[in-house]
Amino acid sequence: MRKGELFINNHDAYTTYGAWVESVSPFRQFAPMKEYVTNKSPLRNGKEVNPTAPKVDERDITLTLCIEGRTEAQMESRLDALEAVLRSGLMEIRIPTHNSKIYRCNYTSCTQFSDFNGRLAKFILKLNEPNPADRGEHTA
């Protein structure tokens, strides 16, 4: 059962859009770090690095989603509804089976779309997580 596995803006993605995520792997990837503050003085050998205040950088996420519908009309309706959510701005994504974190992302693009019989689709979304340090815990 796919119900309760993926939440987008606090809506169950399967019951609302007929959608599920193929893999949680993209969310397990570590966020990159920003460059450390350095000082490269011509009066000293090498460079000075201040590692005491490291900061996390933004990251891009490639997410594979699937959507199904009982009819082509339902499928089209679900695709339209999901597209509206993607274009609305900041999305809060939660995968309870993975952890209790809320991933705050922006939709960037859909790089691939495959349609099977008009009732099943698989597509790849590009998302950007502007601040990976801002992942509040979900409390039910």
Side-chain angles (χ1 to χ4, degrees), residues 36-50:
Y36 291 106
V37 175
T38 62
N39 181 15
K40 199 165 184 173
S41 171
L43 303 174
R44 298 190 176 185
N45 293 324
K47 68 179 177 181
E48 294 177 15
V49 178
N50 181 0

Side-chain angles (χ1 to χ4, degrees), residues 8 26-27 58-65 86 89 91 93 103-111 124-130:
I8 300 173
F27 293 102
E58 68 174 325
R59 73 175 180 151
D60 293 322
I61 298 170
T62 302
L63 188 65
T64 303
L65 278 182
L86 292 172
M91 294 186 317
I93 298 172
Y103 299 89
R104 293 173 175 90
C105 301
N106 298 305
Y107 167 71
T108 339
S109 65
C110 179
T111 60
I124 298 174
L125 298 178
K126 296 286 185 180
L127 306 174
N128 178 266
E129 187 179 18

Side-chain angles (χ1 to χ4, degrees), residues 26-87:
F27 293 102
R28 289 192 169 123
Q29 292 175 333
F30 299 130
M33 299 299 291
K34 288 187 174 181
E35 291 186 25
Y36 291 106
V37 175
T38 62
N39 181 15
K40 199 165 184 173
S41 171
L43 303 174
R44 298 190 176 185
N45 293 324
K47 68 179 177 181
E48 294 177 15
V49 178
N50 181 0
T52 59
K55 300 295 180 195
V56 176
D57 203 354
E58 68 174 325
R59 73 175 180 151
D60 293 322
I61 298 170
T62 302
L63 188 65
T64 303
L65 278 182
C66 300
I67 283 189
E68 66 182 358
R70 288 186 300 270
T71 64
E72 286 187 39
Q74 183 186 44
M75 180 69 168
E76 194 64 34
S77 173
R78 286 178 167 181
L79 286 168
D80 290 345
L82 182 61
E83 183 179 20
V85 169
L86 292 172
R87 292 179 182 227

